């Protein structure tokens, strides 16, 4: 389906439609435990097809998000337009003028001016939508899958691997935020789950909490993970710090706004 508008720009409806389609794929796979059915006949072919469609949708979604309400993109477009001349040698007027004359030489300043303009004109709902769109644009497909897996509020085990000091304390940390949530979500890059979770925590979408004894079996499984075992081999004396990972209050609000099943 072609989402290109005559003027080459994306609309909010375009982005919403793409987000719903991409989110349905990620959310469905995470909630139904897609990876558990891999042994069924023909499932490898089905999974490859799912991945291909998902990648295509998310790539298109990211491209559209890059064009919607991005002040730096608009500033560069304005600069480019002001630096073009028509056949008579006259400068073509920019379709988007953010700040007088300086935009073509200082797009960063023009972008900041646009953000400040937004801070005046945006209401509460529009400001929230803008915030969520900016966060959504930063997520990778695997991170979207993890967030979908966490969306029901369930905790998953997480561990840090650190070096134990001579007096029983904690030295340098060689691995942070390893977790079983990546496999549960069916991510494409399981070894990158610690990085994914670190990014999601940084965005405020995911929180770390104390160890949950009821998840003991899952902790034991996590300790056999190749990434965790490789980290343990980097130190002479290993100390494993157990935690849990779950969606944050802000993450739950973000997911509610983006949840494709509610669209």
């Amino acid at each position: 389906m072609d989402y290109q508008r005559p003027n080459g720009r994306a609309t909010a409806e375009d982005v919403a439609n793409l987000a719903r389609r991409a989110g349905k794929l990620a959310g469905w796979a995470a909630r139904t435990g897609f990876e558990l059915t891999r042994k069924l006949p023909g499932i490898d072919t089905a999974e490859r097809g799912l991945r291909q469609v998902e990648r295509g949708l998310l790539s298109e979604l990211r491209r559209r998000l890059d064009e919607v309400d991005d002040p730096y993109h608009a500033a560069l477009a304005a600069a480019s337009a002001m630096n073009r001349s028509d056949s008579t040698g006259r400068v073509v007027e920019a379709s988007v003028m953010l700040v007088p004359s300086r935009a073509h030489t200082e797009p960063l300043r023009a972008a900041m001016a646009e953000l400040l303009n937004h801070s005046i004109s945006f209401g509460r709902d529009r400001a929230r939508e803008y915030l969520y769109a900016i966060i959504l644009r930063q997520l990778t497909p695997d991170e979207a899958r993890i967030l979908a897996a966490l969306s029901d509020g369930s905790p998953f085990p997480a561990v840090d691997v650190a070096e134990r000091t001579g007096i029983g304390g904690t030295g340098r940390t060689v691995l942070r935020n390893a977790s079983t949530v990546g496999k549960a979500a069916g991510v494409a890059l399981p070894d990158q789950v610690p990085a994914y979770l670190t990014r999601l925590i940084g965005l405020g979408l995911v929180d770390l909490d104390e160890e949950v004894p009821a998840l003991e079996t899952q902790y034991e499984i996590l300790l056999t993970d190749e990434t965790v075992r490789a980290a343990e081999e980097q130190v002479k004396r290993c100390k494993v710090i157990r935690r849990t990972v779950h969606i944050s209050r802000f993450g739950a609000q973000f997911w509610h706004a983006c949840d494709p099943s509610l669209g």
Side-chain angles (χ1 to χ4, degrees):
M1 182 178 296
D2 185 5
Y3 289 92
Q4 185 69 31
R5 297 292 177 178
N7 61 2
R9 302 291 294 163
T11 68
E13 183 179 358
D14 294 335
V15 172
N17 288 336
L18 283 165
R20 281 193 292 272
R21 293 175 63 196
K24 281 182 180 180
L25 286 167
W28 172 83
R31 285 191 291 270
T32 60
F34 186 76
E35 67 172 86
L36 298 180
T37 66
R38 293 186 184 200
K39 294 183 179 179
L40 295 177
I43 200 63
D44 288 341
T45 301
E47 182 180 10
R48 286 195 297 271
L50 173 66
R51 294 286 191 182
Q52 184 176 1
V53 173
E54 181 188 56
R55 283 195 296 270
L57 285 172
L58 288 169
S59 295
E60 178 67 9
L61 174 60
R62 182 176 298 280
R63 187 172 72 84
R64 289 304 182 186
L65 284 170
D66 283 341
E67 294 181 355
V68 174
D69 287 334
D70 187 330
Y72 187 67
H73 177 88
L76 290 179
S80 176
M82 283 190 294
N83 282 324
R84 292 197 304 268
S85 298
D86 62 17
S87 58
T88 64
R90 293 177 302 176
V91 173
V92 177
E93 182 179 359
S95 59
V96 180
M97 178 65 73
L98 300 179
V99 293
S101 71
R102 292 163 62 96
H104 67 292
T105 57
E106 299 179 85
L108 288 174
R109 298 182 190 279
M112 179 58 73
E114 180 69 1
L115 285 174
L116 292 173
N117 288 339
H118 284 338
S119 73
I120 297 173
S121 61
F122 277 9
R124 184 181 182 88
D125 292 341
R126 185 69 183 91
R128 183 184 297 108
E129 179 185 355
Y130 191 96
L131 170 62
Y132 290 165
I134 291 296
I135 292 175
L136 184 61
R137 191 174 63 191
Q138 296 179 63
L139 297 181
T140 69
D142 274 352
E143 288 165 349
R145 281 177 169 268
I146 289 174
L147 199 62
L150 293 171
S151 63
D152 65 356
S154 299
F156 282 81
V159 299
D160 292 351
V161 178
E163 186 173 26
R164 186 184 300 275
T165 63
I167 56 176
T170 302
R172 65 188 179 96
T173 300
V174 294
L175 178 66
R176 295 184 187 276
N177 305 324
S179 176
T180 59
V181 69
K183 289 184 177 179
V187 299
L189 300 175
D191 59 318
Q192 295 302 316
V193 169
Y196 291 149
L197 282 179
T198 299
R199 278 172 40 84
L200 290 170
I201 292 167
L203 289 170
L205 301 174
V206 170
D207 279 341
L208 289 172
D209 213 332
E210 299 298 322
E211 174 186 358
V212 174
L215 299 177
E216 176 62 28
T217 300
Q218 293 190 46
Y219 281 111
E220 295 299 327
I221 294 174
L222 178 56
L223 293 178
T224 66
D225 184 86
E226 292 182 4
T227 302
V228 175
R229 293 173 65 88
E232 291 176 337
E233 293 176 359
Q234 295 181 39
V235 294
K236 291 182 178 181
R237 295 198 300 172
C238 175
K239 181 175 183 178
V240 176
I241 304 167
R242 296 186 177 192
R243 295 193 176 93
T244 56
V245 61
H246 58 85
I247 196 167
S248 68
R249 180 174 178 273
F250 175 67
Q253 294 170 344
F254 172 80
W255 181 257
H256 180 77
C258 303
D259 185 351
S261 68
L262 300 180

